[in-house]
Amino acid sequence: EDQVTQSPEALRLQEGESSSLNCSYTVSGLRGLFWYRQDPGKGPEFLFTLYSAGEEKEKERLKATLTKKESFLHITAPKPEDSATYLCAVTRRRSASKIIFGSGTRLSIRP
Amino acid sequence: GAGVSQSPSNKVTEKGKDVELRCDPISGHTALYWYRQRLGQGLEFLIYFQGNSAPDKSGLPSDRFSAERTGESVSTLTIQRTQQEDSAVYLCASSLVAQSTYEQYFGPGTRLTVT
């Protein structure tokens, strides 16, 4: 069964303290892996799509990487405005339109 | 329009009543998705529409749930005989086409509370 597991469930960091969020996936025939950011009371906001192991993408203080079993979202020198829930999702080749989401990591950055 | 809009933003209903949730996608987006998000959990796929093709209803949890879309415009999600376990945020998303290479744009969601 396809599955996406995110860890930790919650992470509290001091402003400027770098860290990584993990997304482990089990899916037959990965087509793409997505990262989204979700603020309270809002819908998810797209961040990155990764397609193959070894691929990396960056946006401001965020960098996403992908291996054959997991993805990491690295956050460098975070600021309080980076506080949000970060969601990971995958889609399969045979069902490209259906996206399977993890339960997310709630990130809190203290000033 | 700037983005995906949903209405109402909040809905409180009594158990057993029917509810209709509305989604206005971004103009020109042919694909439209509905998701359910329970408190503290990830998104659960419900249904998607792609142009005039038959919708993929494989995520609908029971026959109390149904959805319609007219062409490439507005969609409504209907929940009949609501139950307390239906309480959740219902999110709608649209994308240019129903392929993984195209990012989805989400609406703000409708928070449904069944009392």
Side-chain angles (χ1 to χ4, degrees):
Chain A
E1 182 183 344
D2 298 331
Q3 199 166 9
V4 178
T5 304
Q6 291 188 246
S7 61
E9 288 186 8
L11 181 62
R12 297 187 68 183
L13 299 172
Q14 198 70 34
E15 183 173 3
E17 180 185 0
S18 301
S19 188
S20 296
L21 314 182
N22 177 264
C23 172
S24 298
Y25 62 90
T26 304
V27 62
S28 55
L30 177 74
R31 180 175 177 87
L33 184 141
F34 305 88
W35 282 99
Y36 286 84
R37 168 189 171 130
Q38 187 174 25
D39 292 296
K42 296 187 177 181
E45 176 189 346
F46 172 82
L47 293 174
F48 305 109
T49 307
L50 301 167
Y51 296 104
S52 57
E55 189 176 0
E56 298 183 353
K57 289 195 176 172
E58 290 189 61
K59 181 179 180 179
E60 296 181 356
R61 293 176 293 282
L62 299 175
K63 183 169 79 172
T65 61
L66 181 65
T67 72
K68 289 186 178 180
K69 294 183 178 180
E70 57 192 349
S71 176
F72 292 94
L73 185 66
H74 307 277
I75 182 161
T76 303
K79 298 181 178 181
E81 54 262 41
D82 295 321
S83 298
T85 295
Y86 290 85
L87 297 168
C88 172
V90 300
T91 186
R92 298 181 298 161
R93 289 196 189 93
R94 290 189 179 182
S95 182
S97 56
K98 189 176 296 183
I99 300 181
I100 304 159
F101 281 83
S103 56
T105 293
R106 293 189 311 280
L107 179 64
S108 175
I109 310 299
R110 301 189 300 272
Chain B
V4 179
S5 60
Q6 294 186 244
S7 61
S9 55
N10 282 284
K11 177 72 176 178
V12 180
T13 189
E14 292 180 353
K15 178 181 173 181
K17 300 281 189 182
D18 298 351
V19 295
E20 268 192 9
L21 313 180
R22 176 188 169 108
C23 172
D24 283 271
I26 293 172
S27 178
H29 280 193
T30 60
L32 186 148
Y33 300 75
W34 282 99
Y35 294 91
R36 178 169 69 181
Q37 187 175 31
R38 292 196 166 110
L39 187 64
Q41 298 186 19
L43 279 66
E44 176 187 358
F45 167 81
L46 297 177
I47 186 171
Y48 96 86
F49 299 87
Q50 168 60 50
N52 294 318
S53 301
D56 180 346
K57 304 180 181 180
S58 59
L60 295 178
S62 77
D63 58 8
R64 297 187 295 106
F65 288 72
S66 63
E68 292 184 350
R69 186 183 187 195
T70 305
E72 296 181 356
S73 61
V74 171
S75 175
T76 56
L77 176 69
T78 302
I79 308 174
Q80 296 178 311
R81 305 181 302 281
T82 53
Q83 304 294 314
Q84 288 186 333
E85 61 262 29
D86 299 334
S87 296
V89 175
Y90 289 83
L91 289 158
C92 172
S94 71
S95 69
L96 278 174
V97 291
Q99 294 182 18
S100 61
T101 52
Y102 291 90
E103 62 193 70
Q104 296 186 354
Y105 293 85
F106 282 83
T110 293
R111 181 176 298 279
L112 175 66
T113 303
V114 181
T115 60

